[in-house]
Amino acid sequence: MKFLLKLALLFSLVISTSFASEKVYKLKMATTWGPTLSPLIDSAYNAAKMAEKMSNGRLQIRVDASNKHKSPLGILDMVKGGQYDMGHSASYYWKGKDIATLPFTSMPFGLTAPEQYAWFYQAGGLELMQKVYAKHKVMSFPGGSTGVQMGGWFRKEIKTLDDLKGLKMRIPGFAGEIMAKLGVQVTNIAPGELYTALDRNNIDALEWVGPSMDIKMGFHKIAPFYYTGWHEPASEMQFLVNKKSFAKLPADLQEILIVSMRVAAYDMYVENYDMNATAWEKMRAEYPGIQVKTFPKEIMDAMKKANKELRTELSAKSPELKEVLDSQDVYMKKVREWTKMSDYLYLKDNI
Ligand code: CA
């Protein structure tokens, strides 16, 4: 009888633990991107898929693209307010609300993707990001890098600083402010109208991303000069997680979520690298007249000067921004020495 009782107890224990471990946690994630905007949204889908598989179905994340929630630039507010548990976006979209969030995407003349990942994961970048986002009651994690973004498509070649004076260009954000300091007439045009604006000479130049995403926009058909990058050397997308939603998850699911986001970020970086190579091969074959250009030294020097001035102005207003920029600067000094003697010299001698 005693034995049977013990057996029954054991059985009920097994049942209850297995029920506890079978509890399904459902999260909702909103993205800035439309449902097919590869490779950006792929990172969100991929993280959700991995989390579900690794948790054996216990962690389910529903991804809502921007056509569903209609608020592509409201992700931080929605995650903060709890309408969504998670978001996939980019930190620099929040610079108007909190300037200290700006450097977690990419800074002009800043770290490259491998350097920036090393900063995030090995040199305190991730901790600084959590510190900045703590006041918004969310956590933020790297969400996939575009790597070096191209400097943009220009209808005319840019040879001197004078060529920039009065040039009409779509280049948003911090880089746009730098260009404005150089005399560029910076305009903001909705993505869907960019091709027509360039085609009808309403603008003379624009920047978007790189071959991977530019090819669908068709700019290469109408603007033959493709300038190399300087302003977004490693634009990192971002996962946002509401702190309360995260705290409700058991420890193993928290870890699964963190690992899923980290792997999804890496996967997006790789996916985009390959998409760039594939798209560029196609563009070059179909439009052999495209010329890849780098901005002359005179222009690069002027951009660097304007960049420095802007950073100083903003840092004076926000000690928190200064702390993040200083951390990146200190790390860049160290890591760039290695990049120079490894990747840079290897490539220089083998291209
Ligand atoms: Ca861009």
Side-chain angles (χ1 to χ4, degrees):
M1 193 64 196
K2 253 188 184 174
F3 173 74
L4 275 180
L5 197 67
K6 262 188 189 168
L7 199 68
L9 261 173
L10 190 70
F11 188 66
S12 70
L13 197 70
V14 167
I15 295 283
S16 65
T17 27
S18 78
F19 271 141
S21 66
E22 298 292 68
K23 181 173 175 190
V24 173
Y25 291 82
K26 290 186 178 180
L27 301 179
K28 287 189 297 173
M29 175 171 16
T31 72
T32 290
W33 335 112
T36 58
L37 194 68
S38 288
L40 309 184
I41 194 152
D42 298 341
S43 176
Y45 291 143
N46 197 15
K49 206 164 71 187
M50 277 189 283
E52 186 162 347
K53 271 193 172 176
M54 284 197 280
S55 66
N56 198 22
R58 289 166 53 224
L59 180 55
Q60 294 179 8
I61 304 168
R62 188 186 90 197
V63 177
D64 284 356
S66 59
N67 60 330
K68 181 95 188 266
H69 58 72
K70 315 268 189 232
S71 186
L73 297 177
I75 308 294
L76 176 60
D77 285 340
M78 292 194 293
V79 178
K80 190 176 174 172
Q83 292 103 305
Y84 278 89
D85 308 287
M86 295 180 67
H88 192 263
S89 189
S91 191
Y92 61 4
Y93 292 135
W94 325 126
K95 79 178 174 77
K97 294 178 195 299
D98 180 353
I99 190 67
T101 59
L102 173 70
F104 297 111
T105 305
S106 187
M107 287 304 288
F109 306 108
L111 300 161
T112 64
E115 291 172 343
Q116 192 159 282
Y117 277 131
W119 175 71
F120 271 125
Y121 296 125
Q122 303 291 331
L126 193 57
E127 289 77 9
L128 261 182
M129 181 151 72
Q130 303 311 352
K131 196 175 130 187
V132 166
Y133 277 93
K135 60 174 140 356
H136 303 291
K137 300 183 174 59
V138 297
M139 297 155 88
S140 173
F141 299 90
S145 181
T146 64
V148 174
Q149 293 204 6
M150 289 296 284
W153 296 96
F154 289 71
R155 301 199 70 155
K156 287 193 192 119
E157 192 176 352
I158 304 298
K159 291 179 179 157
T160 66
L161 269 173
D162 276 347
D163 293 334
L164 288 180
K165 303 264 178 327
L167 186 100
K168 274 187 254 166
M169 180 172 188
R170 180 266 180 193
I171 175 164
F174 195 73
E177 290 178 40
I178 293 176
M179 281 303 216
K181 273 191 176 245
L182 270 56
V184 171
Q185 209 180 308
V186 176
T187 59
N188 200 3
I189 295 169
E193 292 156 27
L194 281 172
Y195 181 90
T196 315
L198 188 64
D199 194 35
R200 292 189 184 156
N201 288 321
N202 294 338
I203 50 172
D204 309 300
L206 57 83
E207 77 81 45
W208 189 238
V209 182
S212 64
M213 297 184 69
D214 292 6
I215 193 164
K216 276 195 217 155
M217 303 293 275
F219 307 134
H220 58 291
K221 297 173 188 168
I222 47 175
F225 298 101
Y226 203 13
Y227 277 81
T228 55
W230 58 277
H231 62 307
E232 292 192 62
S235 289
E236 185 66 43
M237 303 304 113
Q238 165 194 51
F239 283 108
L240 288 166
V241 185
N242 177 290
K243 279 194 163 185
K244 276 190 195 155
S245 303
F246 188 78
K248 280 182 201 155
L249 298 176
D252 63 333
L253 294 189
Q254 287 181 342
E255 193 61 22
I256 283 174
L257 182 61
I258 286 175
V259 170
S260 301
M261 292 186 290
R262 185 160 170 168
V263 176
Y266 176 74
D267 282 352
M268 196 205 98
Y269 175 49
V270 175
E271 180 191 5
N272 186 61
Y273 210 96
D274 175 63
M275 279 175 76
N276 272 327
T278 306
W280 177 237
E281 186 180 48
K282 193 163 184 265
M283 275 183 196
R284 220 164 43 147
E286 287 172 11
Y287 293 85
I290 302 172
Q291 295 184 47
V292 176
K293 294 277 176 191
T294 52
F295 290 110
K297 189 172 181 304
E298 175 194 30
I299 293 176
M300 289 295 243
D301 287 347
M303 286 170 172
K304 282 179 190 164
K305 188 169 165 275
N307 180 47
K308 222 176 160 183
E309 287 166 6
L310 276 169
R311 285 170 55 126
T312 311
E313 281 168 33
L314 292 175
S315 294
K317 287 184 207 154
S318 164
E320 203 176 23
L321 171 71
K322 188 176 182 307
E323 189 188 356
V324 183
L325 290 176
D326 285 351
S327 167
Q328 288 186 336
D329 287 353
V330 167
Y331 193 62
M332 177 133 95
K333 261 196 189 133
K334 175 178 157 181
V335 79
R336 192 52 61 83
E337 285 303 313
W338 170 242
T339 305
K340 260 194 257 173
M341 63 194 269
S342 56
D343 285 2
Y344 175 70
L345 287 177
Y346 168 75
L347 290 172
K348 190 169 134 314
D349 292 335
N350 288 291
I351 279 181

